[in-house]
Amino acid sequence: MESGEDSVLRCRAVPQTPPFPDLDSSLNKERNQGEHQQANGGNHGTSNGTIEVEQVMSRKLQLKRKAEFLKSDLMHQFDSQVNDFLDSLIEESAILEPAPVPAAFSPPLSDKERSKLSHFRPPHGQGKQFVSRRSLLDELFEVNHIRTIYHMFIALLIIFILSTLVVDFIDEGRLVLHFDLLVYAFGQFPLVVCTWICMFLSVLLVPYSLFYLWVQTQSGACDNPGLYSWLYGSVFLLYQAVGVGFLPTYVVVTNSFPPASCFIVILEQVRLMMKAHSFVRENVPRVLTWAKEETSPCPVVPQVSQYLYFLFAPTLVYRDQYPRNPVIRWGYVATKLLQVLGCMFYAYYVFVRLCIPQFRSISLQLFDLRAMVLCVFNSILPGALILFLAFFAFLHCWLNAFGEMLRFADRMFYKDWWNSTSFANYYRTWNVVVHDWLYYYVYWDFLWISQKRFRTVAMLFVFTVSAVVHEYILAVCFGFFYPVLFCLFMCFGIMFNFILHDQRKGPIWNIIMWTSLFLGQGVIICLYSQEWYAQRYCPLKEPSFLELLKPRSWSCQRGLIEDSDEL
């Protein structure tokens, strides 16, 4: 006897054949005409044969059309049934999914403790939930059509290499394989490594030690725990501002690090500051809840190994435990690291073939509208390539390589930002790692403090923080203040966020988003490159503070480049 579920599945698996009244009536009509002609006895021999052939061909065409319609309808019904089955399967797996396993040192919280904990956390539930999932590009590259696009970019890199070799051979009479730009960009690398080690060790020891000492003051033995909270909080903020904020920047500026080396130090500085903030922000509410309830003999203090793992993990949101993969695929790690190296050489050839010749040949005269327009449009192609390379090298290859080495299973470092029809969705999906930090620790904390009264102000505050940090990174690494990116963030970014919002759907809005993105990249490459060369060809001996703030490319005039070897 078949069960009820088997019968239901069988009923769903065999869709009913849809009726085709027009086709059926036409076929019946042809059948009746054929019978009528057979009844007449074949009065017209030759004409009857021709008519019969035409009828057979027409009947075949009608049957073919009917089979095509039937195939399309069957495929549509099959697709809908598969989607329904997968949706129900996902819902069942979500219901049967066990709760996150608490840490070994952390006892499970009761409902009362969780309600108390909500007073010390932003009202966003349990925050970000980490689950085991692959990166989107790893899934897409399994499709041959998508992987062909990856092959096209590799072919373009080969073209760049061949063009550089051919031009060098024509100019020099031999193959020139010098990588002067890369050598210059990553100069003083031993000092970079020493700076990073000092930064990392300080972030490993100081925040954890301050947190551990502060926890001891909340056990009830101290008379005034609130005073100690203000004291240790002030020391932590002072350390963030001076120890992690000022000192690495001072080392970079005084030693005149080249751009790539500077980016390594400054980006690591920002990353470690964000991680230290997340560690404190996630653990302080648990200790305050324990201090009020005292439901366990000891407070919930993370182990040093958990904090150390978090400092290397490809996320900016602290958790005691993360989903982990069972094994490390070292071949996958090697592939991703080689792809990072390939992207570096790709960027090198983009600058050598598309950027440096263009901006070296431009005479730095007073900037007019025509020169501005030509510069922006000529910079769109290298700007777009740099955008793709930065995304693929860092957000996909670098983070996946570290995630694999740490067996970190949640690989959603980005989403399908290329399908965005609004800039609001693009901001959420371009860099999920940074977005999560801004969402939980800036946006929701602002709403929590303001009691959810100023959502628009909270969003503007997030834009301001992001714009200031981006401009700070570029100003320190390039060695000049030129707030192009800040203006794009605060003006066009906010404007597009309201104009191209989530209700905009359809392909036309995706085209508008890509057009705006390409134009923005062209503006960034053009203006920053112009200012870079103006700073080197028109230096100021004793500049005042206002002269440092004024872009040099607005007033620098130059006829011919005297020193062609300087970058």
Side-chain angles (χ1 to χ4, degrees), residues 86-157:
L86 292 177
D87 291 339
S88 62
L89 186 63
I90 292 173
E91 292 177 0
E92 279 189 38
S93 65
I95 296 174
L96 298 176
E97 185 178 359
V101 180
F105 55 85
S106 175
L109 299 177
S110 62
D111 295 337
K112 184 177 180 181
E113 290 172 334
R114 292 184 183 276
S115 63
K116 290 291 183 180
L117 185 62
S118 63
H119 295 289
F120 303 101
R121 291 180 60 88
H124 54 263
Q126 296 180 353
K128 178 179 175 62
Q129 299 294 321
F130 290 89
V131 296
S132 179
R133 48 193 164 187
R134 300 171 63 193
S135 286
L136 185 56
L137 284 184
D138 283 340
E139 297 178 350
L140 292 178
F141 282 157
E142 295 179 356
V143 181
N144 290 331
H145 303 288
I146 304 299
R147 192 167 184 84
T148 301
I149 301 177
Y150 172 71
H151 296 161
M152 292 166 61
F153 276 92
I154 297 178
L156 186 59
L157 173 61

Side-chain angles (χ1 to χ4, degrees), residues 79 84 108 147 236-237 245 301 332:
D79 183 64
D84 293 340
R147 192 167 184 84
F236 173 73
L237 293 177
V301 180
Y332 180 86

Side-chain angles (χ1 to χ4, degrees), residues 271-336:
R271 183 184 73 92
L272 293 175
M273 289 181 69
M274 296 168 75
K275 281 183 175 286
H277 177 84
S278 176
F279 173 77
V280 174
R281 180 63 186 84
E282 292 291 337
N283 286 285
V284 164
R286 295 195 296 181
V287 177
L288 293 177
T289 301
W290 170 85
K292 287 182 175 294
E293 300 295 329
E294 294 187 358
T295 54
S296 59
C298 60
V300 180
V301 180
Q303 299 175 358
V304 179
S305 59
Q306 293 174 313
Y307 179 52
L308 178 62
Y309 180 87
F310 169 63
L311 290 181
F312 283 103
T315 180
L316 296 174
V317 179
Y318 175 81
R319 291 292 181 269
D320 292 334
Q321 289 185 343
Y322 298 95
R324 307 282 290 275
N325 289 329
V327 296
I328 301 176
R329 298 172 296 170
W330 290 107
Y332 180 86
V333 174
T335 300
K336 295 305 171 187

Side-chain angles (χ1 to χ4, degrees), residues 16 18 20 68-78:
Q16 296 181 357
F20 295 90
E68 290 177 352
F69 282 128
L70 182 62
K71 175 184 177 182
S72 176
D73 188 76
L74 287 173
M75 293 301 297
H76 177 72
Q77 292 189 20
F78 177 76

Side-chain angles (χ1 to χ4, degrees), residues 12-60:
R12 292 185 63 185
V14 183
Q16 296 181 357
T17 304
F20 295 90
D22 297 335
L23 295 177
D24 293 338
S25 61
S26 63
L27 291 175
N28 293 332
K29 184 177 179 180
E30 291 177 359
R31 188 183 302 111
N32 294 333
Q33 290 178 356
E35 293 175 357
H36 179 71
Q37 290 177 359
Q38 290 177 0
N40 290 336
N43 295 327
H44 308 284
T46 306
S47 62
N48 285 346
T50 304
I51 293 174
E52 288 179 359
V53 171
E54 291 179 353
Q55 290 178 349
V56 170
M57 295 298 296
S58 175
R59 189 176 296 110
K60 286 183 178 180

Side-chain angles (χ1 to χ4, degrees), residues 177-425:
L177 298 177
H178 297 160
F179 297 98
D180 296 337
L181 181 61
L182 286 177
V183 174
Y184 162 76
F186 288 93
Q188 304 186 44
F189 198 73
L191 185 56
V192 171
V193 175
C194 294
T195 305
W196 180 85
I197 291 175
C198 295
M199 243 190 338
F200 179 81
L201 291 178
S202 69
V203 174
L204 174 62
L205 299 176
V206 176
Y208 187 86
S209 301
L210 289 175
F211 177 76
Y212 183 82
L213 294 174
W214 172 77
V215 169
Q216 307 305 315
T217 64
Q218 304 298 310
S219 59
C222 298
D223 297 333
N224 197 344
L227 178 62
Y228 284 100
S229 297
W230 280 103
L231 176 62
Y232 282 102
S234 301
V235 173
F236 173 73
L237 293 177
L238 182 64
Y239 164 75
Q240 287 275 76
V242 178
V244 189
F246 173 75
L247 291 180
T249 305
Y250 179 79
V251 173
V252 165
V253 173
T254 54
N255 291 278
S256 300
F257 279 13
S261 299
C262 188
F263 270 109
I264 294 174
V265 175
I266 299 302
L267 290 176
E268 280 297 289
Q269 173 198 51
V270 175
R271 183 184 73 92
L272 293 175
M273 289 181 69
M274 296 168 75
K275 281 183 175 286
H277 177 84
S278 176
F279 173 77
V280 174
R281 180 63 186 84
E282 292 291 337
N283 286 285
V284 164
R286 295 195 296 181
V287 177
L288 293 177
T289 301
W290 170 85
K292 287 182 175 294
E293 300 295 329
E294 294 187 358
T295 54
S296 59
C298 60
V300 180
V301 180
Q303 299 175 358
V304 179
S305 59
Q306 293 174 313
Y307 179 52
L308 178 62
Y309 180 87
F310 169 63
L311 290 181
F312 283 103
T315 180
L316 296 174
V317 179
Y318 175 81
R319 291 292 181 269
D320 292 334
Q321 289 185 343
Y322 298 95
R324 307 282 290 275
N325 289 329
V327 296
I328 301 176
R329 298 172 296 170
W330 290 107
Y332 180 86
V333 174
T335 300
K336 295 305 171 187
L337 294 179
L338 288 176
Q339 288 175 339
V340 172
L341 187 63
C343 289
M344 289 173 50
F345 283 97
Y346 208 137
Y348 164 78
Y349 284 109
V350 169
F351 279 108
V352 168
R353 301 306 305 164
L354 300 179
C355 292
I356 293 179
Q358 172 188 349
F359 293 105
R360 270 186 167 178
S361 62
I362 294 177
S363 61
L364 295 180
Q365 300 174 355
L366 290 176
F367 221 47
D368 58 357
L369 181 60
R370 182 178 181 277
M372 171 68 176
V373 172
L374 290 177
C375 178
V376 169
F377 281 98
N378 290 334
S379 303
I380 287 178
L381 177 58
L385 291 176
I386 295 299
L387 174 71
F388 295 146
L389 290 173
F391 160 74
F392 184 75
F394 179 72
L395 291 177
H396 179 70
C397 298
W398 186 261
L399 294 183
N400 269 294
F402 267 84
E404 188 68 28
M405 287 187 288
L406 296 172
R407 297 192 292 116
F408 187 85
D410 193 344
R411 307 291 178 83
M412 194 184 70
F413 308 126
Y414 55 88
K415 298 180 183 177
D416 57 336
W417 57 271
W418 47 86
N419 292 328
S420 299
T421 57
S422 66
F423 269 87
N425 185 68

